[in-house]
Structure formats: C-alpha cells, structure tokens
Amino acid sequence: LGTGVTRTSRSISSFGNTMSSTFNKMLEGALAINILDRTFDTLSDGFNKLMAPSMSFDAQMSELKAVAEPTSQEFDILRNKALQLGRDTKFSATEASMGLTELAKAGFTASDATKAIDSVLSLAAASGMELGRSSEIVANNMAAFALPAEQATRVSDVFAKTVNLSTVGMEDMAEAMKYIAPTANALGMSIEETSGIIGILGDYGMKGSIATR
C-alpha cells in the first residue's frame, strides 16, 4: 500500500511539474507576443509620425495646385520654393505652401506668389502670426487698395513697421483695415497713411474695428 501511495504521489508531482512547465512556457509565449505587439505599435506610431509631415505637405501642395492651376514647370517652382523656405526659415514647408495657397487664392500667379512669399514670411515672423494668415491679410489689403502683385513687399513692410512701432497687433490691423481700407482708398489715402493712422489710434487704446468708428 505504501508503495502504491508513493507511486501515486510521484505521478501527481510529475503531472504538476509538467503542468507548471507548460504554463510557464505559455506565459513566456504570451509575454513575447505582447512585447512584439507593443514593439510593432511603437514602430507603427514612429513611422506614422515620420510620414505625417510629408503627407501633410503633399496634401497642401495638391490644394495649391488646384487653386493656382500652374503649369508643370510652375508647380515645380512653387514646390521647390516651399521646400526651400522649410529648410531655411523657422516655418515648415507645409506652412510655406499654405502661404503660397492664400496668395494664389487672391489671384497671384505662380511667379508673383513665389516672389511675394519672402516678404510675407518676414511679416509673419515679425508679428508672430501664422504664415497662411499673414498671406491672407496682405492679399486682402492689396485688393482693397487696388495694388498689383509686385507691391506685396511694400504692403508687408508697411504692416511690419506699424506693428513694430505701435501697440497694434496684426489681427488688430486686419480688423481695422477690413472696415477702413476701401474708404481710405476711395479718398486717395495710401496704405502707408492708413496703416500709420491705425497705429497711432492703437497707441491710444483704439484698436481693431473701434479705431474705425
């Protein structure tokens, strides 16, 4: 009887060891799968983050192409300009392409937009504004004062000077110009004179649309 009990005990012990070994192997396998899964997720996230700027840039260039309707050669010039600004300035290539898009929406040709974007970029940097928004403001006011595309540098410089020499911000300038620019142009006032008045009024606390009342 004692021998039978001993054999049974050994069998149970052996079975228990086998189950324990099997369980440990299954656990190790599960852990390995979990590690691999996490590693894949990490690599996938890294790849997506790496590709995101390129995808965003290509999408923005597609919008620019649709708006400007450039020739193949003109599109290459626009693309290269955006990439160059992305390399040489604090703005990304995508932001540069957004600025070019806003100029194109205002009727700038590919050539004019390429020439104007540098001065608009300087305005954006000086005012702390997004490049796309700066392009929009410059283009809108050029239209309000009936200025040709080659005057973009002049307009950008005037706004940058006013913002730097007064308490008026670019959004204040844009808001005031929205109301006063058409009237000022009709009265024969230059954009320099109008911008200067907005700057002076801003220093007295009258900013934005309030400055036009």
Side-chain angles (χ1 to χ4, degrees):
L1 180 62
T3 301
V5 171
T6 299
R7 288 177 179 174
T8 302
S9 177
R10 288 175 179 174
S11 297
I12 293 174
S13 177
S14 177
F15 177 75
N17 289 335
T18 300
M19 290 298 294
S20 178
S21 177
T22 301
F23 177 76
N24 287 334
K25 289 180 179 179
M26 291 175 63
L27 182 60
E28 290 174 0
L31 288 173
I33 291 173
N34 184 260
I35 291 173
L36 287 172
D37 188 51
R38 290 184 179 181
T39 301
F40 176 79
D41 287 342
T42 299
L43 290 174
S44 179
D45 288 342
F47 178 77
N48 289 335
K49 289 179 180 179
L50 181 65
M51 293 301 295
S54 176
M55 294 169 65
S56 178
F57 174 68
D58 288 339
Q60 186 59 50
M61 288 304 300
S62 294
E63 181 181 349
L64 174 57
K65 186 175 183 179
V67 172
E69 298 183 345
T71 64
S72 177
Q73 183 178 3
E74 289 174 334
F75 181 74
D76 287 341
I77 292 174
L78 289 168
R79 182 182 181 86
N80 289 335
K81 184 62 176 181
L83 290 172
Q84 177 254 310
L85 292 175
R87 288 192 306 268
D88 300 341
T89 72
K90 74 172 187 176
F91 296 99
S92 69
T94 300
E95 290 174 315
S97 63
M98 290 174 65
L100 289 167
T101 301
E102 289 301 326
L103 293 176
K105 287 179 180 178
F108 281 56
T109 65
S111 176
D112 289 335
T114 302
K115 294 175 183 176
I117 192 63
D118 288 301
S119 58
V120 174
L121 186 147
S122 296
L123 173 61
S127 63
M129 178 174 282
E130 291 183 355
L131 183 52
R133 178 60 176 143
S134 293
S135 297
E136 180 183 13
I137 292 172
V138 169
N140 287 346
N141 284 283
M142 289 180 68
F145 282 91
L147 297 173
E150 55 266 25
Q151 293 292 313
T153 297
R154 171 192 170 191
V155 175
S156 298
D157 289 346
V158 168
F159 285 165
K161 184 176 181 179
T162 302
V163 169
N164 288 331
L165 296 179
S166 71
T167 61
V168 172
M170 268 309 298
E171 285 297 350
D172 296 323
M173 176 69 72
E175 184 67 13
M177 281 291 190
K178 183 168 64 176
Y179 294 98
I180 199 173
T183 301
N185 183 52
L187 293 175
M189 294 175 63
S190 69
I191 193 167
E192 287 86 355
E193 292 171 324
T194 308
S195 181
I197 291 172
I198 292 173
I200 292 171
L201 291 175
D203 287 341
Y204 284 96
M206 293 179 285
K207 301 178 181 181
S209 60
I210 296 176
T212 66
R213 297 176 183 175

mmCIF file with all atom_site columns, all heavy atoms in Angstrom, residues 10 26 46-47 80 115 183 207:
data_model
loop_
_atom_site.group_PDB
_atom_site.id
_atom_site.type_symbol
_atom_site.label_atom_id
_atom_site.label_alt_id
_atom_site.label_comp_id
_atom_site.label_asym_id
_atom_site.label_entity_id
_atom_site.label_seq_id
_atom_site.pdbx_PDB_ins_code
_atom_site.Cartn_x
_atom_site.Cartn_y
_atom_site.Cartn_z
_atom_site.occupancy
_atom_site.B_iso_or_equiv
_atom_site.pdbx_formal_charge
_atom_site.auth_seq_id
_atom_site.auth_comp_id
_atom_site.auth_asym_id
_atom_site.auth_atom_id
_atom_site.pdbx_PDB_model_num
ATOM 1  N N   . ARG A 1 10  ? 4.240   10.405  -6.674  1.00 0.00 ? 10  ARG A N   1
ATOM 2  C CA  . ARG A 1 10  ? 5.216   10.792  -7.682  1.00 0.00 ? 10  ARG A CA  1
ATOM 3  C C   . ARG A 1 10  ? 4.534   11.187  -9.003  1.00 0.00 ? 10  ARG A C   1
ATOM 4  O O   . ARG A 1 10  ? 4.949   12.134  -9.682  1.00 0.00 ? 10  ARG A O   1
ATOM 5  C CB  . ARG A 1 10  ? 6.191   9.653   -7.934  1.00 0.00 ? 10  ARG A CB  1
ATOM 6  C CG  . ARG A 1 10  ? 7.173   9.434   -6.770  1.00 0.00 ? 10  ARG A CG  1
ATOM 7  C CD  . ARG A 1 10  ? 8.028   8.209   -7.052  1.00 0.00 ? 10  ARG A CD  1
ATOM 8  N NE  . ARG A 1 10  ? 8.997   8.008   -5.949  1.00 0.00 ? 10  ARG A NE  1
ATOM 9  C CZ  . ARG A 1 10  ? 9.789   6.942   -5.868  1.00 0.00 ? 10  ARG A CZ  1
ATOM 10 N NH1 . ARG A 1 10  ? 9.723   5.993   -6.818  1.00 0.00 ? 10  ARG A NH1 1
ATOM 11 N NH2 . ARG A 1 10  ? 10.633  6.814   -4.878  1.00 0.00 ? 10  ARG A NH2 1
ATOM 12 N N   . MET A 1 26  ? 3.670   28.810  -21.773 1.00 0.00 ? 26  MET A N   1
ATOM 13 C CA  . MET A 1 26  ? 2.559   29.574  -22.330 1.00 0.00 ? 26  MET A CA  1
ATOM 14 C C   . MET A 1 26  ? 2.660   31.039  -21.909 1.00 0.00 ? 26  MET A C   1
ATOM 15 O O   . MET A 1 26  ? 2.408   31.956  -22.698 1.00 0.00 ? 26  MET A O   1
ATOM 16 C CB  . MET A 1 26  ? 1.218   28.987  -21.857 1.00 0.00 ? 26  MET A CB  1
ATOM 17 C CG  . MET A 1 26  ? 0.908   27.615  -22.440 1.00 0.00 ? 26  MET A CG  1
ATOM 18 S SD  . MET A 1 26  ? -0.608  26.909  -21.751 1.00 0.00 ? 26  MET A SD  1
ATOM 19 C CE  . MET A 1 26  ? -1.812  28.076  -22.309 1.00 0.00 ? 26  MET A CE  1
ATOM 20 N N   . GLY A 1 46  ? 5.864   55.482  -34.811 1.00 0.00 ? 46  GLY A N   1
ATOM 21 C CA  . GLY A 1 46  ? 7.027   56.225  -35.274 1.00 0.00 ? 46  GLY A CA  1
ATOM 22 C C   . GLY A 1 46  ? 6.998   56.453  -36.765 1.00 0.00 ? 46  GLY A C   1
ATOM 23 O O   . GLY A 1 46  ? 7.322   57.544  -37.249 1.00 0.00 ? 46  GLY A O   1
ATOM 24 N N   . PHE A 1 47  ? 6.581   55.436  -37.498 1.00 0.00 ? 47  PHE A N   1
ATOM 25 C CA  . PHE A 1 47  ? 6.500   55.557  -38.953 1.00 0.00 ? 47  PHE A CA  1
ATOM 26 C C   . PHE A 1 47  ? 5.449   56.581  -39.353 1.00 0.00 ? 47  PHE A C   1
ATOM 27 O O   . PHE A 1 47  ? 5.675   57.406  -40.253 1.00 0.00 ? 47  PHE A O   1
ATOM 28 C CB  . PHE A 1 47  ? 6.162   54.198  -39.568 1.00 0.00 ? 47  PHE A CB  1
ATOM 29 C CG  . PHE A 1 47  ? 6.017   54.226  -41.070 1.00 0.00 ? 47  PHE A CG  1
ATOM 30 C CD1 . PHE A 1 47  ? 7.139   54.271  -41.888 1.00 0.00 ? 47  PHE A CD1 1
ATOM 31 C CD2 . PHE A 1 47  ? 4.754   54.217  -41.663 1.00 0.00 ? 47  PHE A CD2 1
ATOM 32 C CE1 . PHE A 1 47  ? 7.008   54.318  -43.269 1.00 0.00 ? 47  PHE A CE1 1
ATOM 33 C CE2 . PHE A 1 47  ? 4.620   54.264  -43.040 1.00 0.00 ? 47  PHE A CE2 1
ATOM 34 C CZ  . PHE A 1 47  ? 5.754   54.303  -43.837 1.00 0.00 ? 47  PHE A CZ  1
ATOM 35 N N   . ASN A 1 80  ? 9.432   73.750  -55.018 1.00 0.00 ? 80  ASN A N   1
ATOM 36 C CA  . ASN A 1 80  ? 10.823  73.968  -54.610 1.00 0.00 ? 80  ASN A CA  1
ATOM 37 C C   . ASN A 1 80  ? 10.948  75.176  -53.680 1.00 0.00 ? 80  ASN A C   1
ATOM 38 O O   . ASN A 1 80  ? 11.772  75.183  -52.753 1.00 0.00 ? 80  ASN A O   1
ATOM 39 C CB  . ASN A 1 80  ? 11.717  74.154  -55.840 1.00 0.00 ? 80  ASN A CB  1
ATOM 40 C CG  . ASN A 1 80  ? 11.901  72.867  -56.626 1.00 0.00 ? 80  ASN A CG  1
ATOM 41 O OD1 . ASN A 1 80  ? 11.785  71.768  -56.077 1.00 0.00 ? 80  ASN A OD1 1
ATOM 42 N ND2 . ASN A 1 80  ? 12.183  72.991  -57.918 1.00 0.00 ? 80  ASN A ND2 1
ATOM 43 N N   . LYS A 1 115 ? 7.567   85.246  -55.631 1.00 0.00 ? 115 LYS A N   1
ATOM 44 C CA  . LYS A 1 115 ? 8.329   86.451  -55.298 1.00 0.00 ? 115 LYS A CA  1
ATOM 45 C C   . LYS A 1 115 ? 7.813   87.101  -54.014 1.00 0.00 ? 115 LYS A C   1
ATOM 46 O O   . LYS A 1 115 ? 8.596   87.644  -53.230 1.00 0.00 ? 115 LYS A O   1
ATOM 47 C CB  . LYS A 1 115 ? 8.231   87.458  -56.453 1.00 0.00 ? 115 LYS A CB  1
ATOM 48 C CG  . LYS A 1 115 ? 8.902   86.999  -57.737 1.00 0.00 ? 115 LYS A CG  1
ATOM 49 C CD  . LYS A 1 115 ? 8.641   87.991  -58.856 1.00 0.00 ? 115 LYS A CD  1
ATOM 50 C CE  . LYS A 1 115 ? 9.241   87.510  -60.182 1.00 0.00 ? 115 LYS A CE  1
ATOM 51 N NZ  . LYS A 1 115 ? 8.911   88.430  -61.300 1.00 0.00 ? 115 LYS A NZ  1
ATOM 52 N N   . THR A 1 183 ? -12.653 102.685 -47.912 1.00 0.00 ? 183 THR A N   1
ATOM 53 C CA  . THR A 1 183 ? -12.937 104.120 -47.831 1.00 0.00 ? 183 THR A CA  1
ATOM 54 C C   . THR A 1 183 ? -11.667 104.941 -47.996 1.00 0.00 ? 183 THR A C   1
ATOM 55 O O   . THR A 1 183 ? -11.653 105.959 -48.692 1.00 0.00 ? 183 THR A O   1
ATOM 56 C CB  . THR A 1 183 ? -13.598 104.459 -46.478 1.00 0.00 ? 183 THR A CB  1
ATOM 57 O OG1 . THR A 1 183 ? -14.807 103.706 -46.337 1.00 0.00 ? 183 THR A OG1 1
ATOM 58 C CG2 . THR A 1 183 ? -13.904 105.945 -46.382 1.00 0.00 ? 183 THR A CG2 1
ATOM 59 N N   . LYS A 1 207 ? -8.294  100.114 -30.891 1.00 0.00 ? 207 LYS A N   1
ATOM 60 C CA  . LYS A 1 207 ? -7.760  99.098  -31.788 1.00 0.00 ? 207 LYS A CA  1
ATOM 61 C C   . LYS A 1 207 ? -8.866  98.335  -32.505 1.00 0.00 ? 207 LYS A C   1
ATOM 62 O O   . LYS A 1 207 ? -10.025 98.348  -32.098 1.00 0.00 ? 207 LYS A O   1
ATOM 63 C CB  . LYS A 1 207 ? -6.894  98.106  -30.986 1.00 0.00 ? 207 LYS A CB  1
ATOM 64 C CG  . LYS A 1 207 ? -5.727  98.757  -30.274 1.00 0.00 ? 207 LYS A CG  1
ATOM 65 C CD  . LYS A 1 207 ? -4.930  97.733  -29.460 1.00 0.00 ? 207 LYS A CD  1
ATOM 66 C CE  . LYS A 1 207 ? -3.784  98.403  -28.743 1.00 0.00 ? 207 LYS A CE  1
ATOM 67 N NZ  . LYS A 1 207 ? -2.964  97.447  -27.943 1.00 0.00 ? 207 LYS A NZ  1
#
